Amino acid sequence: MLDQDITLADQIFTRMRREIVAGQLPPGSKMSEPELARRYGISRGPLREALRRLESSSLVVRRPNVGARVVELSSEHLLDLYYLREALEGLAARLAAERMGDAEIAELQDLIARHERQVAQDHGLAYYQSEGDLDFHYCIVRGSHNARLQDLLANDLYHLVRMYRCQFAMSGPRAPTALREHAQIVDAIAARDGELAEILMRRHIRASRQQVEKRLNGELATPPPLTH
Amino acid sequence: MLDQDITLADQIFTRMRREIVAGQLPPGSKMSEPELARRYGISRGPLREALRRLESSSLVVRRPNVGARVVELSSEHLLDLYYLREALEGLAARLAAERMGDAEIAELQDLIARHERQVAQDHGLAYYQSEGDLDFHYCIVRGSHNARLQDLLANDLYHLVRMYRCQFAMSGPRAPTALREHAQIVDAIAARDGELAEILMRRHIRASRQQVEKRLNGELATPPPLTH
DNA sequence: GCCGCCAGGATTGTCGACAATCTCAGGCGA
DNA sequence: TCGCCTGAGATTGTCGACAATCCTGGCGGC
């Protein structure tokens, strides 16, 4: 039909990933192969393949002869993730400043301008928690022209980040600040200053991490990680 | 029997990964499922699972309805890999300096001492191209106490690095230099100087990358990438 | 002579069934 | 009453077979 060239296992993989990230399949819940196969109307073959791919995306954990469960979220792993992003996206920003074409940079500037209009309109409430933030980071990563970096961040880490955001109900008051930092990074890239772009991006992500750490320490009156 | 708790697909996965890295399954070669299943004496089910895991390790590429091939090596992807390692292992070194226990550091120092004795004995010929180099880096990564970073480097990237080393016949005259740089990094970690450890590690990997770039540009009379 | 079309063969994707393994409840003994 | 062992039940791992899809070679038309 439209894009039926995609294999059945791929469809189920994408669908289950979306449901896990959104929380419809809650963390820690057991994923019975026969049950899921009935639920999605497929056989266990493609389903197992989808589970294997979800495992390599770190969205489910499998134990041999026991089964698969949706990954359990922990504040420790969330911080691990931020450290990784700081290093990887810092690299991406540096490479983007060195490698992006002029057209790509213009597109990026346009994206930032759209975000600014949207934030001004919404009073900056729904920027950070929406897809807008990840959109920006995704553009930078794509601009790095490093296939492996792109694959790693876009196919694995960002889905995990979105999962944490949904589950931990993270939004925070960083929306206007984040947007300003984004604009600074774009300026550095437009100026072809890779070193500065890397520094700003690392600082940007470190600030997010530090805010999460504060929240986890209970220093901020924001939604707790989860209700157990 | 010994460690039969491992599932059949896991055994095949590990075995095929070893053969791909060593070059027994040459890059670009087609991996027919019936043929491989006969060859390893298993069915296509576990074999497909092993192929899927090899794909997520970037050792094979699969196209729907077409099949799997051993990944093609390219100098571009090799450089991508070095950029990633520079960022990730720099992070690992910083975290290691902050988080390693005293016992772990003593172990690391012991490893370096053993390497020094070995290099003195072998006149430094076979250090860089052996597993010794990756052993060192693996210890640092383990010391980062960041599960995701550890998983990423040890389970995926290092196998790719070893594959490139085997296929490109990379050794180079960097053996004594590399060992000296390793010792400096260990000193920084022992001094709990995370910032310095990161700088030194990044410089260490960048130097390797630059040497590879020179070689790819034909400025060094060393084995060419591959004979086509 | 070159390009497009078509059938043959092989390969991959998918399915249902059987065997091996784990989990959990219940009973026995100390 | 607590702990260990055992057996039923369910689940995962593995296998072989069928259907859908793709590559290869040859043929006909321009």
Side-chain angles (χ1 to χ4, degrees), chain A residues 152-170:
Chain A
L152 181 59
L153 281 168
N155 291 352
D156 291 351
L157 295 194
Y158 283 168
H159 291 286
L160 264 177
V161 169
R162 279 171 42 203
M163 182 176 178
Y164 272 97
R165 285 190 183 172
C166 289
Q167 307 289 326
F168 281 28
M170 304 195 313

Side-chain angles (χ1 to χ4, degrees), chain B residues 77-96:
Chain B
H77 282 88
L78 176 59
L79 295 180
D80 282 1
L81 213 55
Y82 271 105
Y83 279 105
L84 246 70
R85 284 187 64 196
E86 180 179 333
L88 290 175
E89 300 205 31
L91 167 62
R94 190 179 85 206
L95 292 179

Side-chain angles (χ1 to χ4, degrees), chain A residues 45-102:
Chain A
L47 186 105
R48 281 174 67 86
E49 203 150 315
L51 283 178
R52 179 63 80 182
R53 293 184 59 179
L54 289 171
E55 182 191 23
S56 73
S57 297
S58 301
L59 289 175
V60 312
V61 289
R62 287 184 68 183
R63 284 195 323 176
N65 288 312
V66 172
R69 310 184 83 90
V70 180
V71 68
E72 296 266 10
L73 304 186
S74 77
S75 50
E76 182 187 351
H77 282 90
L78 176 58
L79 295 180
D80 283 0
L81 213 55
Y82 271 105
Y83 279 105
L84 245 70
R85 284 188 62 197
E86 181 180 332
L88 290 174
E89 300 205 31
L91 168 63
R94 191 180 84 206
L95 292 179
E98 298 169 356
R99 298 179 176 180
M100 277 180 100
D102 293 334

Side-chain angles (χ1 to χ4, degrees), chain A residues 7-9 41-46 63-66:
Chain A
T7 186
L8 188 49
I42 60 170
S43 178
R44 276 182 54 213
R63 284 195 323 176
N65 288 312
V66 172

Side-chain angles (χ1 to χ4, degrees), chain A residues 157-201:
Chain A
L157 295 194
Y158 283 168
H159 291 286
L160 264 177
V161 169
R162 279 171 42 203
M163 182 176 178
Y164 272 97
R165 285 190 183 172
C166 289
Q167 307 289 326
F168 281 28
M170 304 195 313
S171 58
R174 267 182 51 77
T177 308
L179 184 54
R180 201 177 328 125
E181 290 170 356
H182 287 183
Q184 286 179 339
I185 293 169
V186 172
D187 287 345
I189 290 176
R192 301 295 186 185
D193 190 338
E195 192 177 339
L196 180 60
E198 174 170 4
I199 291 174
L200 290 175
M201 179 64 92

Side-chain angles (χ1 to χ4, degrees), chain A residues 91-93 95-96 99-100 104 139-147 149-150:
Chain A
L91 168 63
L95 292 179
R99 298 179 176 180
M100 277 180 100
E104 287 176 296
C139 280
I140 303 281
V141 168
R142 201 174 33 182
S144 74
H145 291 228
N146 182 319
L149 180 60
Q150 201 170 327

Side-chain angles (χ1 to χ4, degrees), chain A residues 86 199 202 206, chain B residues 86 89-99 184-185 187-203 206:
Chain A
E86 181 180 332
I199 291 174
R202 291 184 66 151
R206 199 179 318 137
Chain B
E86 180 179 333
E89 300 205 31
L91 167 62
R94 190 179 85 206
L95 292 179
E98 298 169 357
R99 297 179 176 179
Q184 287 179 339
I185 293 169
D187 288 344
I189 289 176
R192 302 296 187 183
D193 190 339
E195 191 178 340
L196 180 60
E198 174 169 5
I199 291 174
L200 291 175
M201 179 63 92
R202 291 183 67 151
R203 188 194 291 174
R206 199 180 318 138

